[in-house]
Amino acid sequence: NVIQVSAGGEHTVALKSDGSVVAWGRNNYGQCDVPADLSDVVQISAGSYHTVALKSDGSVVAWGWNDYGQCNVPAGLSNVIQVSAGAYHTVALKSDGSVVAWGYNGYGQCNVPAGLSNVVQVCAGYKHTVALKSNGSVVAWGRNSEGQCNVPDGLGNVVQVSAGNWHTVALKSDGSVVAWGWNDYGQCNVPAGLSNVVQVAAGYYHTVALKSDGSVVAWGWNESGQCNIPA
């Protein structure tokens, strides 16, 4: 009865319908050591070497590698409705539309822009953070070496975002996809004519889209066959 899964750097986390969590894979930093008393979880997110869980009461629990404080949930943090674990930082969205971030901040990825409000989704990338606002606009901050934080001018009507290693992907309400940032492997080259998309996911160097008919499209780095959709 698994209801959500999340893939980290080298580990996998699953949320069960009873609110319990199971994790497996590389456990060199305890990222798979689910706290014994953890319960009532409603969402999970796996980072490179840490794991984050959101509980039904709006509180957050994190475990695993903590050299940058990515597992140090801020004291008093409450009313959280979504969490996202990046490589070395963690981001939380609160019910009032505000955002809180902690952990590695070497590129300002935890410096939430002043006045940011009305956020409906957050996504932590490798060293950047992306927020989707209720009006369909996108805000991004943190490392911008490859333009991954340069939201295209006029981008609107976005309904979901996903942050990869060095690129960012947005799904629009009309089912089309926009991507920007590092493109050396073509991970930002959205296939011509791609439409009817209902979800997007940005990986390290590739991008995946789920269509309304249940089919999947992938593009970008394919050295390990990650873009070869099984027949």
Side-chain angles (χ1 to χ4, degrees):
N1 296 320
V2 174
I3 58 174
Q4 188 211 339
V5 292
S6 184
E10 297 176 76
H11 73 296
T12 304
V13 186
L15 171 62
K16 300 183 68 176
S17 59
D18 63 0
S20 63
V21 175
V22 181
W24 62 95
R26 190 172 187 183
N27 196 34
N28 53 329
Y29 294 104
Q31 59 265 49
C32 295
D33 294 336
V34 180
D37 59 349
L38 183 65
S39 62
D40 300 318
V41 175
V42 294
Q43 190 229 325
I44 50 172
S45 184
S48 286
Y49 304 108
H50 74 296
T51 305
V52 184
L54 170 63
K55 299 187 64 173
S56 59
D57 63 1
S59 63
V60 176
V61 180
W63 62 95
W65 193 38
N66 197 35
D67 281 16
Y68 294 107
Q70 59 265 53
C71 295
N72 293 342
V73 180
L77 181 65
S78 61
N79 299 316
V80 175
I81 58 173
Q82 190 224 326
V83 290
S84 182
Y88 313 120
H89 73 297
T90 305
V91 184
L93 170 61
K94 299 187 65 174
S95 58
D96 63 0
S98 64
V99 176
V100 180
W102 61 94
Y104 181 57
N105 196 33
Y107 296 93
Q109 59 265 54
C110 294
N111 294 342
V112 179
L116 181 65
S117 61
N118 299 316
V119 175
V120 295
Q121 187 211 340
V122 290
C123 192
Y126 181 52
K127 294 179 181 176
H128 75 296
T129 305
V130 184
L132 170 63
K133 300 188 65 174
S134 59
N135 64 359
S137 64
V138 176
V139 180
W141 62 95
R143 187 166 188 176
N144 196 33
S145 56
E146 305 296 335
Q148 58 266 50
C149 294
N150 294 340
V151 179
D153 290 340
L155 179 66
N157 299 315
V158 174
V159 294
Q160 189 229 328
V161 290
S162 184
N165 238 27
W166 311 103
H167 74 298
T168 305
V169 184
L171 170 63
K172 300 187 65 174
S173 59
D174 63 0
S176 64
V177 176
V178 180
W180 62 94
W182 194 41
N183 196 35
D184 282 17
Y185 295 106
Q187 58 265 54
C188 294
N189 293 341
V190 179
L194 181 65
S195 61
N196 299 316
V197 175
V198 294
Q199 186 202 343
V200 289
Y204 271 26
Y205 309 125
H206 74 298
T207 305
V208 184
L210 170 64
K211 299 187 64 173
S212 59
D213 63 1
S215 63
V216 176
V217 180
W219 61 96
W221 196 37
N222 196 34
E223 185 171 325
S224 299
Q226 56 266 56
C227 296
N228 295 341
I229 309 300

